[in-house]
């Protein structure tokens, strides 16, 4: 047995199904000629620490949990300065990034991909001093991802996000923002307006649903092109405009009267008050200034051949 694998898992992700499949997954990894060290995370940030401090003789880092767990593993990988291939076995409630990578939702099949698939160089995002794998967002609905109780996510899945999100429609907060970004032609552009929502993404799926960006850019999304897809939604002036915005989101279409959408590799978002952000479905802090940049093909992930 010539290779070594570190298997970091979140035993509480999703419905805790990893506990029912752990032996099968370990067996698959061993059959792929790996000696396996299994580490169940104990608290938030644990996955980042164990990957950052890992023995660098590991040939593969396996990760099982939701997108937040993957985010922690990637953060630990970047902080360690040593690039090791990551195999992802999704076990969360939505698994947006796994869907984008076409990683199977069945754990045993995902374990096969994680050990015998192809290596894919994937972009990651930098957000001030932190990183994110596929989305940084603020405003309407963003509290849903990290504010919905885990028990509710386990029982209701995507419906939990919808039910929790409806509560926020009664009290929509807006932010006056200055957005400076580098366009794909290299010129610097600035937008200043009032917004109720914004997302910076590198994914086809958000919240378990195909991203609006995927429809707007009509297949022109790649997870290794060094570009984010950015969507900003302006403040509706009346209930009719709000309904128009919600209708556009429902059919995953940009209404340019109420939304901005563009591609960029870097942007700065400034506000005159603190804005609460979410990164990969977890609370990302309150910020008056967000400096966001993409790092092209910064990590190696195992994907389906």
């Amino acid at each position: 047995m010539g290779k070594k694998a570190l298997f970091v898992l979140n035993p509480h992700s999703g419905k805790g199904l990893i506990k029912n499949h752990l032996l099968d997954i370990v067996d698959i990894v061993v059959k792929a000629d790996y000696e396996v060290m299994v580490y169940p995370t104990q608290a938030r940030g644990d996955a980042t620490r164990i990957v950052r401090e890992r023995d660098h003789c590991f040939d593969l880092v396996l990760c099982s949990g939701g997108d937040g767990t993957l985010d922690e593993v990637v953060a630990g990988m970047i902080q360690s300065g040593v690039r090791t291939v990551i195999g992802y076995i999704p076990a969360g409630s939505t698994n947006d990034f796994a869907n984008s990578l076409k990683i199977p939702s069945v754990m045993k099949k995902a374990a096969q991909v994680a050990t015998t698939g192809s290596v894919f160089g994937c972009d990651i995002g930098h957000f001030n001093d932190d990183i994110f794998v596929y989305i940084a967002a603020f405003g309407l609905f963003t509290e849903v991802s990290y504010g919905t109780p885990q028990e509710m996510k386990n029982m209701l899945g995507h419906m939990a996000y919808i039910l929790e999100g409806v509560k926020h429609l009664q009290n929509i907060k807006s932010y006056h923002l200055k957005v400076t970004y580098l366009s794909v032609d290299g010129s610097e552009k600035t937008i200043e307006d009032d917004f109720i929502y914004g997302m910076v993404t590198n994914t086809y799926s958000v919240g378990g649903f195909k991203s609006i960006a995927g429809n707007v850019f009509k297949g022109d999304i790649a997870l290794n092109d060094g570009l984010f897809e950015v969507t900003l939604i302006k403040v509706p002036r009346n209930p009719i405009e709000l309904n128009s915005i919600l209708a556009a989101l429902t059919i995953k279409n940009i209404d340019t009267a109420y939304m901005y959408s563009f591609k960029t590799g870097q942007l700065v978002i400034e506000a005159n008050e603190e804005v609460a952000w979410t990164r990969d479905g977890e609370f990302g802090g309150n910020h008056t200034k967000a400096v966001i940049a993409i790092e092209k093909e910064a990590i190696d992930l195992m994907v389906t051949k």
Side-chain angles (χ1 to χ4, degrees), residues 15-25 107-108:
K15 299 178 182 179
L17 292 178
I18 184 64
K19 300 171 187 176
N20 300 330
H21 299 280
L22 182 56
L23 287 178
D24 288 334
I25 292 171
M107 288 187 178
K108 290 172 66 175

Side-chain angles (χ1 to χ4, degrees), residues 91-105:
S93 301
T94 55
N95 304 312
D96 284 316
F97 202 59
N99 292 335
S100 293
L101 292 169
K102 296 181 172 60
I103 293 175
S105 58

Side-chain angles (χ1 to χ4, degrees), residues 34-231:
Y34 287 93
E35 178 184 349
V36 190
M37 172 183 163
V38 179
Y39 185 88
T41 58
Q42 305 298 303
R44 184 175 179 181
D46 211 16
T48 295
R49 179 190 61 79
I50 193 66
V51 174
R52 181 180 62 243
E53 299 174 357
R54 75 192 185 284
D55 184 339
H56 294 153
C57 69
F58 283 112
D59 302 284
L60 175 68
V61 173
L62 291 168
C63 164
S64 185
D67 291 329
T69 305
L70 177 63
D71 178 281
E72 288 193 15
V73 167
V74 170
M77 186 69 68
I78 298 295
Q79 291 171 18
S80 76
V82 178
R83 183 163 173 162
T84 305
V85 178
I86 298 172
Y88 184 31
I89 303 170
S93 301
T94 55
N95 304 312
D96 284 316
F97 202 59
N99 292 335
S100 293
L101 292 169
K102 296 181 172 60
I103 293 175
S105 58
V106 178
M107 288 187 178
K108 290 172 66 175
K109 291 183 179 179
Q112 294 281 5
V113 171
T115 52
T116 62
S118 298
V119 178
F120 174 72
C122 186
D123 299 345
I124 62 109
H126 291 267
F127 182 101
N128 293 343
D129 295 327
D130 295 304
I131 67 102
F132 64 97
V133 176
Y134 73 97
I135 183 170
F138 69 86
L140 184 66
F141 294 125
T142 54
E143 290 183 14
V144 176
S145 57
Y146 59 82
T148 306
Q150 185 63 53
E151 294 79 9
M152 187 174 179
K153 293 179 187 178
N154 291 348
M155 287 188 297
L156 300 177
H158 296 160
M159 186 57 66
Y161 290 90
I162 296 172
L163 295 175
E164 193 72 16
V166 169
K167 299 178 184 178
H168 296 267
L169 289 177
Q170 305 301 320
N171 185 25
I172 299 175
K173 182 171 177 57
S174 64
Y175 302 93
H176 186 80
L177 304 176
K178 178 183 177 182
V179 181
T180 306
Y181 69 96
L182 196 65
S183 69
V184 292
D185 63 10
S187 62
E188 184 176 281
K189 297 189 177 182
T190 300
I191 297 169
E192 190 164 354
D193 213 325
D194 296 317
F195 299 99
I196 58 171
Y197 177 77
M199 66 178 181
V200 181
T201 64
N202 187 44
T203 183
Y204 305 118
S205 172
V206 175
F209 304 97
K210 293 298 181 184
S211 170
I212 188 172
N215 196 54
V216 173
F217 296 106
K218 301 188 185 304
D220 190 27
I221 294 179
L223 307 185
N224 61 348
D225 63 355
L227 292 171
F228 293 120
E229 286 71 43
V230 181
T231 302

